[in-house]
């Protein structure tokens, strides 16, 4: 309702309507949930909102995107809302006729304001005074061009560096700046840049098979089965998530979907059972696709709502020795700057 009011008030601006627009705009900005790349508005009509009011979060985002394009088209929220709406698209459409109508209306408005000029420009890149490359864009296209700058070249420069991008011509340029790096130490601390990851190991057959020592090292019994429980927490809506856990080299994941594999654990997420939970309020059975590979276990989801999620699998300790256990990591695959991991651990198998 506030979005439609903003559109109506913006058609005839005067002192009264301007003040009303500012009041409403301030209110809805307090209702936005924003990440580095996307944004969405937090609203609800309760359990019956979908059926009675034809309400959906995407329809609300679309209506407010159109309203923002009327009152503040230069706002960075416009592009973030646009990206968030497109991330909800499945097989070229949204989940209802209502969503399709209002999202397409908002995206058309966005297109005519933000992308009205047909691209015909050259993009140039400099790092300080060093020229890094260029690319010519002519006509509308979804093709991308990548310029890679080696890390050793960046580290050889002074501490203060300016990455300069110049667009010469008409049209809108979308760009992404990413830094790929490798840590110098294998001992990594837990970090939370959008995801909080926790990992626990539980014995399947006998509690003495898995023990955590006072120094934080895990002790596994050779030849026995271990249940790995991963808990992932996010406070924002996330898109195209990958949760990856790297196994210690002395262990092997057990795929319960293969005939002949006996884990003795009927509560593993891989068996699609939701009976056992590490955290009472966690959500299980949330994955859309799972992989158990030689060196890692993976879980995927295209859309993740705020909450606490739990996933588990079973592995066997197959080789004696002391092994590093790399951190489990979750990230948005197409926005990898939104990620989180647990800490590096160590395991002794004997």
């Amino acid at each position: 309702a506030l979005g439609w009011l903003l559109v109506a008030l913006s058609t005839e601006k005067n002192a009264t309507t301007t003040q009303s627009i500012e009041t409403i705009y301030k209110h809805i900005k307090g209702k936005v949930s924003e990440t580095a790349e996307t944004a969405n508005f937090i609203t609800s009509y309760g359990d019956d909102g979908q059926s009675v009011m034809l309400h959906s979060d995407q329809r609300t985002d679309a209506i407010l995107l159109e309203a923002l394009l009327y009152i503040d088209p230069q706002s960075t929220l416009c592009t973030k809302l646009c990206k968030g709406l497109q991330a909800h698209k499945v097989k070229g459409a949204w989940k209802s006729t209502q969503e399709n109508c209002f999202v397409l209306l908002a995206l058309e408005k966005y297109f005519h304001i933000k992308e009205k000029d047909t691209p015909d420009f050259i993009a140039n890149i400099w790092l300080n005074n060093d020229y890094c490359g260029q690319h010519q864009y002519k006509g509308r296209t979804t093709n991308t061009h990548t310029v890679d700058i080696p890390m050793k070249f960046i580290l050889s420069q002074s501490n203060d560096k300016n990455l300069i991008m110049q667009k010469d011509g008409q049209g809108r340029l979308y760009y992404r700046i990413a830094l790929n790096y490798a840590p110098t130490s294998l001992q990594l601390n837990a970090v939370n840049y959008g995801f909080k990851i926790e990992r626990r190991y539980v014995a399947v057959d006998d509690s003495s098979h898995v023990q955590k020592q006072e120094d934080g090292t895990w002790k596994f019994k050779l030849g026995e089965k271990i249940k790995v429980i991963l808990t992932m927490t996010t406070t924002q809506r996330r898109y195209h998530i990958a949760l990856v856990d790297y196994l210690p080299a002395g262990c092997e994941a057990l795929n319960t979907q293969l005939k002949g594999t006996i884990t003795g654990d009927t509560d593993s997420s891989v068996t699609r059972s939701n009976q056992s939970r590490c955290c009472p309020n966690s959500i299980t059975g949330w994955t859309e696709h799972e992989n158990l590979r030689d060196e890692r276990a993976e879980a995927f989801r295209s859309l993740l709502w705020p909450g606490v999620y739990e996933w588990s699998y079973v592995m066997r300790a197959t080789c004696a020795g002391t092994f590093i256990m790399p951190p489990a990591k979750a990230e948005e695959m197409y926005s990898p700057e939104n990620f989180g991991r647990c800490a590096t651990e160590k395991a002794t198998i004997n």
Side-chain angles (χ1 to χ4, degrees), residues 62-225:
I63 292 170
L64 289 171
L65 170 58
E66 186 176 12
L68 289 180
L69 290 169
Y70 273 98
I71 64 170
D72 189 10
Q74 302 305 317
S75 172
T76 56
L77 281 177
C78 294
T79 299
K80 289 186 175 185
L81 285 168
C82 181
K83 288 184 177 181
L85 288 170
Q86 295 194 69
H88 278 274
K89 187 168 56 176
V90 177
K91 296 182 179 179
W94 290 264
K95 66 180 181 181
S96 69
T97 303
Q98 285 281 321
E99 285 191 8
N100 286 333
C101 285
F102 287 101
V103 171
L104 289 175
L105 286 171
L107 293 182
E108 182 193 31
K109 181 77 173 176
Y110 179 91
F111 176 81
H112 287 301
I113 291 178
K114 299 287 190 178
E115 301 183 7
K116 60 181 179 180
D117 296 325
T118 302
D120 185 9
F121 59 84
I122 297 176
N124 298 289
I125 303 175
W126 286 268
L127 184 64
N128 281 352
N129 295 323
D130 297 307
Y131 186 65
C132 300
Q134 69 172 14
H135 187 70
Q136 182 176 10
Y137 295 86
K138 195 172 183 66
R140 303 189 187 278
T141 177
T142 57
N143 295 336
T144 60
H145 179 71
T146 304
V147 174
D148 292 320
I149 303 175
M151 182 68 77
K152 62 180 181 180
F153 180 75
I154 297 176
L155 295 177
S156 66
Q157 304 290 309
S158 61
N159 292 329
D160 295 328
K161 308 175 186 66
N162 293 315
L163 181 66
I164 302 169
M165 301 186 64
Q166 180 212 23
K167 180 176 73 73
D168 185 13
Q170 67 176 11
R172 187 173 178 84
L173 171 66
Y174 292 93
Y175 64 90
R176 173 182 174 81
I177 302 172
L179 182 68
N180 293 325
Y181 62 93
T184 57
S185 172
L186 291 177
Q187 300 298 322
L188 301 176
N189 296 324
V191 297
N192 179 354
Y193 295 113
F195 296 93
K196 180 183 178 182
I197 306 299
E198 298 172 284
R199 180 173 59 188
R200 291 180 62 237
Y201 297 95
V202 180
V204 173
D205 298 321
D206 190 311
S207 60
S208 64
H209 294 163
V210 176
Q211 298 178 355
K212 192 169 186 179
Q213 309 299 309
E214 292 183 358
D215 61 355
T217 302
W218 289 93
K219 186 177 179 181
F220 299 153
K221 180 71 173 177
L222 181 63
E224 299 299 333
K225 297 182 288 293

Side-chain angles (χ1 to χ4, degrees), residues 195 237-242 330-336 338:
F195 296 93
R237 193 186 304 179
R238 302 294 180 183
Y239 308 95
H240 305 294
I241 302 94
E331 70 175 14
E332 288 187 273
M333 291 184 287
Y334 303 113
S335 302
N338 298 321

Side-chain angles (χ1 to χ4, degrees), residues 26-96:
K26 182 179 179 180
H27 173 77
I28 64 173
K29 281 195 290 188
K31 297 288 186 180
V32 69
S33 176
E34 191 174 0
T35 67
E37 190 168 0
T38 63
N40 64 275
F41 288 94
I42 303 169
T43 181
S44 175
Y45 284 99
D47 296 337
D48 293 331
Q50 180 91 26
S51 56
V52 178
M53 302 292 294
L54 298 176
H55 164 73
S56 76
D57 293 319
Q58 286 68 59
R59 192 180 80 152
T60 299
D61 290 347
I63 292 170
L64 289 171
L65 170 58
E66 186 176 12
L68 289 180
L69 290 169
Y70 273 98
I71 64 170
D72 189 10
Q74 302 305 317
S75 172
T76 56
L77 281 177
C78 294
T79 299
K80 289 186 175 185
L81 285 168
C82 181
K83 288 184 177 181
L85 288 170
Q86 295 194 69
H88 278 274
K89 187 168 56 176
V90 177
K91 296 182 179 179
W94 290 264
K95 66 180 181 181
S96 69

Side-chain angles (χ1 to χ4, degrees), residues 242-288:
L243 174 62
V244 182
D245 184 32
Y246 290 92
L247 279 65
C251 295
E252 178 183 345
L254 299 179
N255 189 343
T256 60
Q257 301 301 306
L258 298 178
K259 289 185 177 180
T261 302
I262 301 176
T263 67
D265 170 42
T266 59
D267 295 332
S268 170
S269 292
V270 180
T271 63
R272 300 299 192 274
S273 175
N274 298 335
Q275 301 302 316
S276 177
R277 298 189 182 186
C278 172
C279 301
N281 297 321
S282 62
I283 301 169
T284 59
W286 55 271
T287 60
E288 293 177 342

